[in-house]
Amino acid sequence: MAIVEQTLITAEEFGNRPDLGRPEELVRGRIVMSPVPGSRHGRICARITWLLCNFVEHHDAGHVLTNDSGVVTERNPDTVRGADASFYSYARVPKGPLPKGYLSQAPELVFEVRSPSDLWPKVLTKVAEYLNAGVLFVTVLDPDQQTAVVYGSEGPPRSLGRDDELTYPDVLPGFSVTVGRLFE
């Protein structure tokens, strides 16, 4: 049996490929496909994005990105993860139009909605990559449990139930949402 070696690609090469209409990420230089998430996943992503956008625009605080916008989490070999939603303050990414391609800075906040096909070890690997890349907080929303787990660059994770308030006082002062609202 012949062994075919796959050539590793960079984040820039990955970002310049044509959109093939399917979810993909770059993991250590290799393209990895993932299943298309279902309607519940999309609704939760839309909900957190809508809440963040309203708050961020009202306070002129930064950029909110969604639709699996790429976040470079590792270099040599490169990894590009598609965050469900993310927030970049103007301190990290200046006000104005965003450049083509991936941003050189990591966002302050990343939100991942756990899909039915997501196993916890895979989710935790992504969380660790985001934190190691400079993301301050990664929030994993679990639709089945209707919970949020907030992983920070310092300290233990915070597990929040439906009635708990999701806040980021050091990053988005004043932002607050009851976890249950994200799953309505």
Side-chain angles (χ1 to χ4, degrees):
M1 175 188 291
I3 298 175
V4 178
E5 198 169 307
Q6 181 183 3
T7 303
L8 302 180
I9 66 172
T10 66
E12 292 71 25
E13 291 168 327
F14 179 68
N16 287 327
R17 294 172 51 253
D19 183 355
L20 301 177
R22 60 181 183 240
E24 298 175 329
E25 291 182 319
L26 185 67
V27 180
R28 294 183 179 84
R30 291 185 170 83
I31 298 168
V32 177
M33 293 177 15
S34 59
V36 176
S39 57
R40 181 170 66 165
H41 182 278
R43 173 67 178 140
I44 296 165
C45 289
R47 189 85 168 142
I48 190 63
T49 301
W50 181 77
L51 291 165
L52 275 174
C53 279
N54 282 338
F55 182 86
V56 167
E57 286 183 16
H58 180 73
H59 292 88
D60 197 26
H63 306 277
V64 175
L65 280 63
T66 187
N67 289 357
D68 293 322
S69 296
V71 176
V72 178
T73 60
E74 297 176 337
R75 290 287 188 177
N76 299 317
D78 294 358
T79 298
V80 178
R81 297 296 188 172
D84 288 325
S86 58
F87 166 73
Y88 294 80
S89 72
Y90 290 141
R92 287 202 178 184
V93 177
K95 193 173 191 174
L98 297 178
K100 183 178 176 184
Y102 304 121
L103 296 170
S104 60
Q105 286 288 334
E108 281 98 329
L109 303 177
V110 163
F111 296 84
E112 287 288 340
V113 178
R114 187 168 177 250
S115 298
S117 63
D118 286 342
L119 301 176
W120 274 108
K122 178 182 165 188
V123 172
L124 294 175
T125 296
K126 287 172 93 170
V127 167
E129 286 177 18
Y130 285 128
L131 294 174
N132 288 333
V135 175
L136 301 178
F137 297 99
V138 180
T139 301
V140 178
L141 302 172
D142 188 334
D144 290 337
Q145 303 300 316
Q146 296 198 352
T147 58
V149 181
V150 181
Y151 298 88
S153 54
E154 297 177 11
R158 290 184 299 143
S159 294
L160 305 172
R162 280 190 58 78
D163 298 327
D164 294 323
E165 291 293 314
L166 182 60
T167 63
Y168 305 94
D170 296 336
V171 176
L172 280 176
F175 177 81
S176 179
V177 62
T178 304
V179 171
R181 280 192 67 200
L182 302 174
F183 303 106
E184 292 175 350

